[in-house]
Amino acid sequence: RVAALWRQGKIYDLNKLIPKGTEWTNLSSAEAINNKRCIAGIGTISGKGHAFLLAPVVLQKLTFAPLHAIGGQFVVVQALLDGDAPFALDIEAKLTNLSRVAQLISSVATVREGARSAEFRIETQPVDAPQSGELEVSFGGTSLTTRLTIKPR
C-alpha cells in the first residue's frame, strides 16, 4: 500500500514528499486532509508503524517589480512559498478599490512542481493623482494582503 493524493485528475505518491535524511521509509495510507491541506496518515519510521502529519507549503511573502507602481506600466507581483511545491499549485489574487486604474491579467497563477513562486501581472492605467487599493493573494486557506498605490508619471 502507498499513501496517495488525488488532485485534479492526477494521483500523487506521498512518499515523494518524505524529506531526505529522515528515518521514514514508507507512507502506507493517507487517512484525512483538512481545509489547510494538512494530511494525516499511517507510515513506517525506524521499522515501526506510526502516524504522520504532512504540513503543506504556505504563502510567505509578496514582492513587487517595480517596487513603486507607475500608472500606464505593468507591475509584476511574485507570490513566494516557504518551500518547494510538491505538485502544481494554484494561487489566486484579487484587486479591490482599483478597478478603474488597474487590472490583473490573470487572477490565477500556478506554482510549478518543485518551484517556490508564481507571478501575477497587473496592468495599470495612467493616473493624475495617486490611487490606492488592496491586493489579496490567497492559497490553501491563507491569504496575504498588501496595499498597492499607483502613482502618476
Side-chain angles (χ1 to χ4, degrees):
R1 290 180 60 179
V2 174
L5 175 67
W6 175 269
R7 186 175 192 296
Q8 297 178 342
K10 292 184 180 179
I11 296 175
Y12 297 91
D13 179 353
L14 296 181
N15 285 288
K16 292 182 179 181
L17 304 180
I18 296 174
K20 289 179 174 45
T22 69
E23 293 186 33
W24 285 98
T25 56
N26 182 47
L27 304 181
S28 56
S29 68
E31 302 296 327
I33 185 167
N34 67 13
N35 61 354
K36 293 190 179 193
R37 298 180 352 269
C38 293
I39 301 170
I42 305 296
T44 305
I45 184 169
S46 302
K48 297 180 182 177
H50 203 281
F52 69 81
L53 178 65
L54 292 175
V57 293
V58 295
L59 278 172
Q60 186 174 36
K61 68 178 181 176
L62 303 174
T63 61
F64 293 87
L67 190 55
H68 302 288
I70 305 297
Q73 297 181 350
F74 283 93
V75 176
V76 177
V77 179
Q78 188 174 45
L80 301 168
L81 302 177
D82 68 346
D84 296 342
F87 41 79
L89 303 168
D90 290 337
I91 298 176
E92 297 179 358
K94 70 177 180 179
L95 287 170
T96 54
N97 299 324
L98 286 169
S99 61
R100 294 178 319 185
V101 297
Q103 175 181 338
L104 282 160
I105 301 303
S106 174
S107 62
V108 176
T110 301
V111 180
R112 290 176 290 118
E113 180 178 342
R116 289 185 174 220
S117 65
E119 290 183 350
F120 293 94
R121 291 175 55 91
I122 300 171
E123 181 179 12
T124 67
Q125 302 300 318
V127 295
D128 295 326
Q131 303 284 319
S132 293
E134 305 280 322
L135 171 68
E136 179 182 6
V137 177
S138 52
F139 165 73
T142 61
S143 64
L144 295 175
T145 302
T146 190
R147 189 152 195 76
L148 177 62
T149 301
I150 300 169
K151 298 179 179 182
R153 286 186 182 254

